[in-house]
Amino acid sequence: MRHPPDLPDGTIVTALRGGFGVEAVRLVRLPVGNDADSWSYRVETAAGPAWFLKVRAGPSPGRGAAVPALLQRRGVPNVLAPLATSTGASSVTVGRFALALYPLLEARPGAEAGLSPAQWRELGATMRQVHAVPATPELIRLVGREAFRGSRAPAPPTRRARHRAPGRSTRAGTCPRTGSGAVPPAPPPGRPPRPSTPGAASRARAAARARSSA
């Protein structure tokens, strides 16, 4: 995120001390990540290694830390899980924010550095183990369920609504043109609808012959 969160650095330092037992002497905000509701920091300490801090807002802000923590508990290798808090949680909640602390890896992303054939095989084996984790109630509660439909996307119109003549109301399941329960398909563009009343077909053919002979 380009702009800093409405969370003072002093509040972050206090949360790190109380939640993780980490005494931060400097916070450096990092220009990384694509989430509009998250911010990244380098946390430097007076003694010991530096840490990577992820600050998240939005709905269920602690989800991003809870899932890798669960995978690590299930024995999935190569998962960078967050440091557990003093209460065993995966993040510390400060107002509307969740703070998760990770080991800081001084390395290039795999997408930039590239992977060797052995590393690709190891990545594939790890992903297989990730997908083999059973969908327990705890995991379902963490990740939720995708509906695959935008919350503001309108429902598609029904077939009856698409063929209803403007300004005419009909009984449920009744075609406005034929009065029957079946709704005929719409005619192709440029072609008049087929007549459905007795005698209409012969009158339409006679009118067509008169136009052709004119």
Side-chain angles (χ1 to χ4, degrees), residues 163 165 168 170 174-180 183-187 193-197:
H163 296 296
R168 296 183 62 183
T170 61
T174 302
C175 174
R177 180 157 50 85
T178 64
S180 64
V183 179
R194 296 179 61 185
S196 57
T197 58

Side-chain angles (χ1 to χ4, degrees), residues 10-27:
T11 302
I12 296 177
V13 171
T14 301
L16 294 177
R17 182 189 306 119
F20 300 98
V22 172
E23 193 66 44
V25 297
R26 187 186 180 203
L27 298 178

